């Protein structure tokens, strides 16, 4: 189809399936849901280039093609082989993709935390039959118990009664600690739950995190020491995320390594807004973790812990 300018894009926000990128169409006008491996594609329906896919027009006709993956290594998960660029669900709770020998997954179930509120004083997660994901239910308690639990979230100032519709003035802010980074090297995600918003509603926040680059060289340990906790910052660098690059350069601290089986993870961190610029020319901002201090311990994440997630250490002392 011919391009028409000025661009006319749908007013409704784009809703793409989990794990599907939003990319610009061939006219450079509108973001569309990228086509995945094996799906039909065209100039107006491009393939997901973030996953190494391209539109092969040799196998079809009338201006349409099929999304294929550039040659790359296959992935082996529990004895089953997946091709480069192939999406799959090892369980009903995970959507995964094979990317040149590495497996990346996103959760399909919400892992949010629900704190007590006047509407739901006793929240509890329940596994329902024939449903994959657990769901929250609100148990009814006695009036006295309901009042005590609700007061943990809401407070009333007797000196100045707030407006009934002003939830924020009557909200006791509660925020969980940031979770551990989802990756031991390279760019990952860290999350927390907070009700620090005008609606006093519990919401999940995420931030980018990088414990260390995957090509991070191992520094020599001092005599008598077996760990390098927080190596000195190297030269400045630009962060990369989803094919986009940070507009400013940074000199971040990373966690080091040990020679006695321990692992080093962030212990004290801060959160900074980082601006990214994409090849298409658009900008966006994401919160990102910056490490202040690391700690070394034996409570290490297991190999391939994207499937075997038993690692629940939390980082403390976040300074926004």
């Amino acid at each position: 189809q011919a391009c028409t300018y000025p661009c006319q894009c749908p007013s409704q926000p784009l809703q793409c399936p989990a794990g599907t990128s939003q990319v610009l169409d061939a006219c450079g006008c509108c973001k569309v849901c990228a086509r995945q491996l094996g799906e039909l594609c065209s100039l107006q329906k491009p393939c997901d280039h973030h996953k190494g896919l391209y539109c092969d027009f040799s196998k079809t006709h009338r201006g349409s093609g099929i999304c294929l993956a550039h040659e790359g290594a296959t992935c082996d998960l529990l004895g089953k082989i997946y091709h480069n660029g192939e999406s799959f669900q090892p369980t009903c709770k995970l959507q995964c993709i094979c990317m040149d020998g590495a497996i990346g997954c996103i959760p399909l179930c919400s892992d949010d935390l629900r704190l007590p509120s006047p509407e739901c004083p006793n929240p509890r997660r329940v596994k329902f039959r024939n449903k994959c994901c657990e769901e929250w239910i609100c148990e009814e308690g006695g009036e006295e118990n309901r009042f005590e639990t609700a007061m943990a979230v809401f407070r009333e100032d007797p000196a100045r009664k707030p407006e009934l519709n002003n939830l924020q003035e009557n909200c006791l802010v509660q925020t969980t600690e940031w979770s551990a980074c989802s990756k031991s090297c390279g760019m990952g995600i860290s999350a927390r739950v907070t009700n620090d918003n005008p609606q006093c509603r519990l919401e999940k926040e995420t931030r980018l995190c990088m414990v260390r680059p995957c090509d991070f060289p191992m520094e020599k340990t001092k005599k008598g020491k077996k760990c390098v906790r927080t190596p000195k910052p190297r030269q400045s660098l630009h962060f990369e995320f989803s094919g986009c690059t940070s507009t400013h350069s940074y000199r971040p601290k990373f966690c080091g390594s040990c020679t006695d089986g321990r692992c080093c993870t962030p212990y004290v961190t801060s959160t900074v807004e980082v601006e990214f610029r994409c090849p298409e020319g658009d900008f966006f901002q994401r919160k990102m973790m910056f490490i202040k201090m690391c700690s070394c311990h034996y409570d290490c994440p297991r190999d391939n812990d994207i499937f075997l997630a038993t690692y629940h250490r939390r980082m403390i002392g976040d300074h926004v």
Side-chain angles (χ1 to χ4, degrees), residues 112-136:
D112 61 331
L113 176 67
R114 183 161 188 172
L115 299 177
S117 68
E119 296 81 19
C120 186
N122 298 302
R124 187 164 64 92
R125 286 192 95 147
V126 175
K127 178 76 172 74
F128 289 99
R129 192 177 176 183
N130 300 327
K131 285 193 175 181
C132 176
C133 303
E134 294 178 332
E135 295 182 11
W136 286 105

PDB file of all heavy atoms in Angstrom, residues 112-136:
ATOM      1  N   ASP A 112       2.310 -10.167  41.177  1.00  0.00           N
ATOM      2  CA  ASP A 112       2.160  -8.970  42.002  1.00  0.00           C
ATOM      3  C   ASP A 112       1.833  -9.327  43.453  1.00  0.00           C
ATOM      4  O   ASP A 112       1.345 -10.405  43.758  1.00  0.00           O
ATOM      5  CB  ASP A 112       1.072  -8.048  41.440  1.00  0.00           C
ATOM      6  CG  ASP A 112      -0.287  -8.724  41.404  1.00  0.00           C
ATOM      7  OD1 ASP A 112      -0.310  -9.957  41.262  1.00  0.00           O
ATOM      8  OD2 ASP A 112      -1.308  -8.029  41.503  1.00  0.00           O
ATOM      9  N   LEU A 113       2.119  -8.396  44.318  1.00  0.00           N
ATOM     10  CA  LEU A 113       1.846  -8.554  45.737  1.00  0.00           C
ATOM     11  C   LEU A 113       0.636  -7.702  46.085  1.00  0.00           C
ATOM     12  O   LEU A 113       0.519  -6.576  45.625  1.00  0.00           O
ATOM     13  CB  LEU A 113       3.054  -8.091  46.552  1.00  0.00           C
ATOM     14  CG  LEU A 113       2.920  -8.094  48.071  1.00  0.00           C
ATOM     15  CD1 LEU A 113       2.798  -9.522  48.583  1.00  0.00           C
ATOM     16  CD2 LEU A 113       4.114  -7.411  48.698  1.00  0.00           C
ATOM     17  N   ARG A 114      -0.261  -8.229  46.890  1.00  0.00           N
ATOM     18  CA  ARG A 114      -1.438  -7.456  47.284  1.00  0.00           C
ATOM     19  C   ARG A 114      -1.404  -7.247  48.790  1.00  0.00           C
ATOM     20  O   ARG A 114      -1.416  -8.207  49.562  1.00  0.00           O
ATOM     21  CB  ARG A 114      -2.723  -8.173  46.874  1.00  0.00           C
ATOM     22  CG  ARG A 114      -3.962  -7.352  47.198  1.00  0.00           C
ATOM     23  CD  ARG A 114      -5.156  -7.814  46.399  1.00  0.00           C
ATOM     24  NE  ARG A 114      -6.290  -6.905  46.567  1.00  0.00           N
ATOM     25  CZ  ARG A 114      -7.405  -6.981  45.875  1.00  0.00           C
ATOM     26  NH1 ARG A 114      -7.538  -7.905  44.955  1.00  0.00           N
ATOM     27  NH2 ARG A 114      -8.385  -6.138  46.084  1.00  0.00           N
ATOM     28  N   LEU A 115      -1.364  -5.989  49.203  1.00  0.00           N
ATOM     29  CA  LEU A 115      -1.366  -5.645  50.621  1.00  0.00           C
ATOM     30  C   LEU A 115      -2.797  -5.362  51.064  1.00  0.00           C
ATOM     31  O   LEU A 115      -3.667  -5.072  50.244  1.00  0.00           O
ATOM     32  CB  LEU A 115      -0.483  -4.413  50.856  1.00  0.00           C
ATOM     33  CG  LEU A 115       0.990  -4.585  50.474  1.00  0.00           C
ATOM     34  CD1 LEU A 115       1.734  -3.271  50.677  1.00  0.00           C
ATOM     35  CD2 LEU A 115       1.652  -5.682  51.275  1.00  0.00           C
ATOM     36  N   PRO A 116      -3.093  -5.446  52.376  1.00  0.00           N
ATOM     37  CA  PRO A 116      -4.462  -5.212  52.848  1.00  0.00           C
ATOM     38  C   PRO A 116      -4.949  -3.809  52.511  1.00  0.00           C
ATOM     39  O   PRO A 116      -4.177  -2.853  52.478  1.00  0.00           O
ATOM     40  CB  PRO A 116      -4.351  -5.389  54.372  1.00  0.00           C
ATOM     41  CG  PRO A 116      -3.109  -6.190  54.575  1.00  0.00           C
ATOM     42  CD  PRO A 116      -2.178  -5.818  53.463  1.00  0.00           C
ATOM     43  N   SER A 117      -6.234  -3.689  52.260  1.00  0.00           N
ATOM     44  CA  SER A 117      -6.881  -2.395  52.009  1.00  0.00           C
ATOM     45  C   SER A 117      -8.290  -2.469  52.593  1.00  0.00           C
ATOM     46  O   SER A 117      -8.774  -3.565  52.895  1.00  0.00           O
ATOM     47  CB  SER A 117      -6.939  -2.099  50.507  1.00  0.00           C
ATOM     48  OG  SER A 117      -7.817  -2.997  49.873  1.00  0.00           O
ATOM     49  N   PRO A 118      -8.972  -1.334  52.753  1.00  0.00           N
ATOM     50  CA  PRO A 118     -10.337  -1.384  53.298  1.00  0.00           C
ATOM     51  C   PRO A 118     -11.272  -2.266  52.479  1.00  0.00           C
ATOM     52  O   PRO A 118     -12.152  -2.910  53.022  1.00  0.00           O
ATOM     53  CB  PRO A 118     -10.783   0.081  53.252  1.00  0.00           C
ATOM     54  CG  PRO A 118      -9.515   0.852  53.335  1.00  0.00           C
ATOM     55  CD  PRO A 118      -8.509   0.051  52.577  1.00  0.00           C
ATOM     56  N   GLU A 119     -11.091  -2.291  51.151  1.00  0.00           N
ATOM     57  CA  GLU A 119     -11.959  -3.117  50.309  1.00  0.00           C
ATOM     58  C   GLU A 119     -11.588  -4.591  50.398  1.00  0.00           C
ATOM     59  O   GLU A 119     -12.407  -5.463  50.150  1.00  0.00           O
ATOM     60  CB  GLU A 119     -11.874  -2.673  48.839  1.00  0.00           C
ATOM     61  CG  GLU A 119     -12.387  -1.278  48.580  1.00  0.00           C
ATOM     62  CD  GLU A 119     -11.369  -0.216  48.930  1.00  0.00           C
ATOM     63  OE1 GLU A 119     -10.170  -0.559  49.023  1.00  0.00           O
ATOM     64  OE2 GLU A 119     -11.775   0.940  49.151  1.00  0.00           O
ATOM     65  N   CYS A 120     -10.323  -4.881  50.729  1.00  0.00           N
ATOM     66  CA  CYS A 120      -9.854  -6.270  50.782  1.00  0.00           C
ATOM     67  C   CYS A 120      -8.906  -6.422  51.972  1.00  0.00           C
ATOM     68  O   CYS A 120      -7.691  -6.387  51.820  1.00  0.00           O
ATOM     69  CB  CYS A 120      -9.153  -6.624  49.466  1.00  0.00           C
ATOM     70  SG  CYS A 120      -8.687  -8.368  49.336  1.00  0.00           S
ATOM     71  N   PRO A 121      -9.471  -6.578  53.189  1.00  0.00           N
ATOM     72  CA  PRO A 121      -8.611  -6.598  54.377  1.00  0.00           C
ATOM     73  C   PRO A 121      -7.771  -7.859  54.515  1.00  0.00           C
ATOM     74  O   PRO A 121      -6.732  -7.841  55.167  1.00  0.00           O
ATOM     75  CB  PRO A 121      -9.621  -6.478  55.524  1.00  0.00           C
ATOM     76  CG  PRO A 121     -10.905  -6.998  54.973  1.00  0.00           C
ATOM     77  CD  PRO A 121     -10.902  -6.639  53.518  1.00  0.00           C
ATOM     78  N   ASN A 122      -8.232  -8.993  53.942  1.00  0.00           N
ATOM     79  CA  ASN A 122      -7.501 -10.254  54.084  1.00  0.00           C
ATOM     80  C   ASN A 122      -7.282 -10.912  52.720  1.00  0.00           C
ATOM     81  O   ASN A 122      -7.946 -11.891  52.369  1.00  0.00           O
ATOM     82  CB  ASN A 122      -8.268 -11.218  55.000  1.00  0.00           C
ATOM     83  CG  ASN A 122      -8.436 -10.660  56.395  1.00  0.00           C
ATOM     84  OD1 ASN A 122      -7.457 -10.350  57.056  1.00  0.00           O
ATOM     85  ND2 ASN A 122      -9.689 -10.514  56.835  1.00  0.00           N
ATOM     86  N   PRO A 123      -6.362 -10.381  51.899  1.00  0.00           N
ATOM     87  CA  PRO A 123      -6.145 -10.978  50.565  1.00  0.00           C
ATOM     88  C   PRO A 123      -5.404 -12.314  50.661  1.00  0.00           C
ATOM     89  O   PRO A 123      -4.549 -12.499  51.518  1.00  0.00           O
ATOM     90  CB  PRO A 123      -5.285  -9.925  49.861  1.00  0.00           C
ATOM     91  CG  PRO A 123      -4.582  -9.201  50.960  1.00  0.00           C
ATOM     92  CD  PRO A 123      -5.496  -9.217  52.138  1.00  0.00           C
ATOM     93  N   ARG A 124      -5.770 -13.238  49.765  1.00  0.00           N
ATOM     94  CA  ARG A 124      -5.125 -14.549  49.752  1.00  0.00           C
ATOM     95  C   ARG A 124      -5.101 -15.075  48.322  1.00  0.00           C
ATOM     96  O   ARG A 124      -6.081 -14.941  47.583  1.00  0.00           O
ATOM     97  CB  ARG A 124      -5.899 -15.517  50.652  1.00  0.00           C
ATOM     98  CG  ARG A 124      -5.222 -16.868  50.843  1.00  0.00           C
ATOM     99  CD  ARG A 124      -5.842 -17.590  52.044  1.00  0.00           C
ATOM    100  NE  ARG A 124      -7.247 -17.898  51.809  1.00  0.00           N
ATOM    101  CZ  ARG A 124      -7.675 -19.060  51.274  1.00  0.00           C
ATOM    102  NH1 ARG A 124      -6.795 -19.987  50.921  1.00  0.00           N
ATOM    103  NH2 ARG A 124      -8.959 -19.272  51.102  1.00  0.00           N
ATOM    104  N   ARG A 125      -3.975 -15.678  47.915  1.00  0.00           N
ATOM    105  CA  ARG A 125      -3.860 -16.251  46.567  1.00  0.00           C
ATOM    106  C   ARG A 125      -4.343 -17.686  46.591  1.00  0.00           C
ATOM    107  O   ARG A 125      -3.982 -18.466  47.469  1.00  0.00           O
ATOM    108  CB  ARG A 125      -2.410 -16.210  46.081  1.00  0.00           C
ATOM    109  CG  ARG A 125      -1.955 -14.830  45.690  1.00  0.00           C
ATOM    110  CD  ARG A 125      -0.642 -14.888  44.955  1.00  0.00           C
ATOM    111  NE  ARG A 125      -0.873 -14.910  43.511  1.00  0.00           N
ATOM    112  CZ  ARG A 125      -0.059 -14.352  42.640  1.00  0.00           C
ATOM    113  NH1 ARG A 125       1.025 -13.748  43.033  1.00  0.00           N
ATOM    114  NH2 ARG A 125      -0.320 -14.404  41.355  1.00  0.00           N
ATOM    115  N   VAL A 126      -5.157 -18.031  45.589  1.00  0.00           N
ATOM    116  CA  VAL A 126      -5.771 -19.356  45.540  1.00  0.00           C
ATOM    117  C   VAL A 126      -5.565 -19.955  44.151  1.00  0.00           C
ATOM    118  O   VAL A 126      -5.668 -19.251  43.141  1.00  0.00           O
ATOM    119  CB  VAL A 126      -7.284 -19.271  45.857  1.00  0.00           C
ATOM    120  CG1 VAL A 126      -7.944 -20.631  45.686  1.00  0.00           C
ATOM    121  CG2 VAL A 126      -7.501 -18.757  47.268  1.00  0.00           C
ATOM    122  N   LYS A 127      -5.262 -21.259  44.103  1.00  0.00           N
ATOM    123  CA  LYS A 127      -5.139 -21.982  42.830  1.00  0.00           C
ATOM    124  C   LYS A 127      -6.489 -22.609  42.507  1.00  0.00           C
ATOM    125  O   LYS A 127      -7.009 -23.431  43.248  1.00  0.00           O
ATOM    126  CB  LYS A 127      -4.068 -23.082  42.959  1.00  0.00           C
ATOM    127  CG  LYS A 127      -3.901 -23.922  41.700  1.00  0.00           C
ATOM    128  CD  LYS A 127      -3.123 -23.159  40.646  1.00  0.00           C
ATOM    129  CE  LYS A 127      -2.772 -24.045  39.463  1.00  0.00           C
ATOM    130  NZ  LYS A 127      -3.919 -24.347  38.589  1.00  0.00           N
ATOM    131  N   PHE A 128      -7.098 -22.170  41.398  1.00  0.00           N
ATOM    132  CA  PHE A 128      -8.388 -22.700  40.984  1.00  0.00           C
ATOM    133  C   PHE A 128      -8.189 -23.865  40.013  1.00  0.00           C
ATOM    134  O   PHE A 128      -7.232 -23.893  39.236  1.00  0.00           O
ATOM    135  CB  PHE A 128      -9.237 -21.614  40.304  1.00  0.00           C
ATOM    136  CG  PHE A 128      -9.744 -20.577  41.268  1.00  0.00           C
ATOM    137  CD1 PHE A 128      -9.099 -19.352  41.394  1.00  0.00           C
ATOM    138  CD2 PHE A 128     -10.858 -20.826  42.049  1.00  0.00           C
ATOM    139  CE1 PHE A 128      -9.561 -18.381  42.270  1.00  0.00           C
ATOM    140  CE2 PHE A 128     -11.332 -19.872  42.936  1.00  0.00           C
ATOM    141  CZ  PHE A 128     -10.685 -18.653  43.053  1.00  0.00           C
ATOM    142  N   ARG A 129      -9.106 -24.801  40.077  1.00  0.00           N
ATOM    143  CA  ARG A 129      -9.049 -25.952  39.172  1.00  0.00           C
ATOM    144  C   ARG A 129      -9.259 -25.486  37.729  1.00  0.00           C
ATOM    145  O   ARG A 129     -10.070 -24.594  37.480  1.00  0.00           O
ATOM    146  CB  ARG A 129     -10.138 -26.945  39.573  1.00  0.00           C
ATOM    147  CG  ARG A 129      -9.987 -28.302  38.905  1.00  0.00           C
ATOM    148  CD  ARG A 129     -11.060 -29.260  39.414  1.00  0.00           C
ATOM    149  NE  ARG A 129     -10.984 -30.527  38.731  1.00  0.00           N
ATOM    150  CZ  ARG A 129     -11.823 -31.535  38.929  1.00  0.00           C
ATOM    151  NH1 ARG A 129     -12.803 -31.390  39.808  1.00  0.00           N
ATOM    152  NH2 ARG A 129     -11.695 -32.666  38.276  1.00  0.00           N
ATOM    153  N   ASN A 130      -8.525 -26.082  36.816  1.00  0.00           N
ATOM    154  CA  ASN A 130      -8.593 -25.766  35.379  1.00  0.00           C
ATOM    155  C   ASN A 130      -8.093 -24.366  35.042  1.00  0.00           C
ATOM    156  O   ASN A 130      -8.326 -23.868  33.947  1.00  0.00           O
ATOM    157  CB  ASN A 130     -10.022 -25.931  34.836  1.00  0.00           C
ATOM    158  CG  ASN A 130     -10.535 -27.354  34.995  1.00  0.00           C
ATOM    159  OD1 ASN A 130      -9.742 -28.306  34.915  1.00  0.00           O
ATOM    160  ND2 ASN A 130     -11.816 -27.499  35.229  1.00  0.00           N
ATOM    161  N   LYS A 131      -7.405 -23.697  35.999  1.00  0.00           N
ATOM    162  CA  LYS A 131      -6.798 -22.388  35.722  1.00  0.00           C
ATOM    163  C   LYS A 131      -5.312 -22.478  36.038  1.00  0.00           C
ATOM    164  O   LYS A 131      -4.922 -23.023  37.065  1.00  0.00           O
ATOM    165  CB  LYS A 131      -7.456 -21.290  36.555  1.00  0.00           C
ATOM    166  CG  LYS A 131      -8.839 -20.892  36.042  1.00  0.00           C
ATOM    167  CD  LYS A 131      -9.308 -19.603  36.699  1.00  0.00           C
ATOM    168  CE  LYS A 131     -10.633 -19.148  36.099  1.00  0.00           C
ATOM    169  NZ  LYS A 131     -11.097 -17.879  36.710  1.00  0.00           N
ATOM    170  N   CYS A 132      -4.511 -21.924  35.146  1.00  0.00           N
ATOM    171  CA  CYS A 132      -3.055 -22.018  35.307  1.00  0.00           C
ATOM    172  C   CYS A 132      -2.563 -21.097  36.412  1.00  0.00           C
ATOM    173  O   CYS A 132      -1.772 -21.496  37.262  1.00  0.00           O
ATOM    174  CB  CYS A 132      -2.367 -21.669  33.986  1.00  0.00           C
ATOM    175  SG  CYS A 132      -0.558 -21.652  34.085  1.00  0.00           S
ATOM    176  N   CYS A 133      -2.994 -19.850  36.392  1.00  0.00           N
ATOM    177  CA  CYS A 133      -2.456 -18.844  37.306  1.00  0.00           C
ATOM    178  C   CYS A 133      -3.286 -18.753  38.580  1.00  0.00           C
ATOM    179  O   CYS A 133      -4.516 -18.858  38.549  1.00  0.00           O
ATOM    180  CB  CYS A 133      -2.416 -17.476  36.619  1.00  0.00           C
ATOM    181  SG  CYS A 133      -1.456 -17.460  35.089  1.00  0.00           S
ATOM    182  N   GLU A 134      -2.586 -18.538  39.687  1.00  0.00           N
ATOM    183  CA  GLU A 134      -3.283 -18.304  40.943  1.00  0.00           C
ATOM    184  C   GLU A 134      -3.981 -16.946  40.893  1.00  0.00           C
ATOM    185  O   GLU A 134      -3.539 -16.040  40.201  1.00  0.00           O
ATOM    186  CB  GLU A 134      -2.292 -18.328  42.108  1.00  0.00           C
ATOM    187  CG  GLU A 134      -1.672 -19.698  42.326  1.00  0.00           C
ATOM    188  CD  GLU A 134      -0.666 -19.674  43.461  1.00  0.00           C
ATOM    189  OE1 GLU A 134      -0.083 -18.602  43.694  1.00  0.00           O
ATOM    190  OE2 GLU A 134      -0.455 -20.715  44.101  1.00  0.00           O
ATOM    191  N   GLU A 135      -5.071 -16.814  41.636  1.00  0.00           N
ATOM    192  CA  GLU A 135      -5.828 -15.568  41.654  1.00  0.00           C
ATOM    193  C   GLU A 135      -6.027 -15.100  43.093  1.00  0.00           C
ATOM    194  O   GLU A 135      -6.064 -15.904  44.026  1.00  0.00           O
ATOM    195  CB  GLU A 135      -7.187 -15.758  40.971  1.00  0.00           C
ATOM    196  CG  GLU A 135      -7.081 -16.070  39.481  1.00  0.00           C
ATOM    197  CD  GLU A 135      -8.446 -16.193  38.826  1.00  0.00           C
ATOM    198  OE1 GLU A 135      -9.456 -15.835  39.477  1.00  0.00           O
ATOM    199  OE2 GLU A 135      -8.491 -16.644  37.669  1.00  0.00           O
ATOM    200  N   TRP A 136      -6.166 -13.773  43.240  1.00  0.00           N
ATOM    201  CA  TRP A 136      -6.401 -13.194  44.564  1.00  0.00           C
ATOM    202  C   TRP A 136      -7.876 -13.294  44.922  1.00  0.00           C
ATOM    203  O   TRP A 136      -8.749 -13.052  44.096  1.00  0.00           O
ATOM    204  CB  TRP A 136      -5.991 -11.723  44.587  1.00  0.00           C
ATOM    205  CG  TRP A 136      -4.518 -11.495  44.609  1.00  0.00           C
ATOM    206  CD1 TRP A 136      -3.732 -11.081  43.580  1.00  0.00           C
ATOM    207  CD2 TRP A 136      -3.642 -11.660  45.730  1.00  0.00           C
ATOM    208  NE1 TRP A 136      -2.429 -10.989  43.985  1.00  0.00           N
ATOM    209  CE2 TRP A 136      -2.340 -11.328  45.302  1.00  0.00           C
ATOM    210  CE3 TRP A 136      -3.838 -12.057  47.054  1.00  0.00           C
ATOM    211  CZ2 TRP A 136      -1.233 -11.383  46.146  1.00  0.00           C
ATOM    212  CZ3 TRP A 136      -2.732 -12.120  47.897  1.00  0.00           C
ATOM    213  CH2 TRP A 136      -1.459 -11.786  47.436  1.00  0.00           C
TER     214      TRP A 136
END
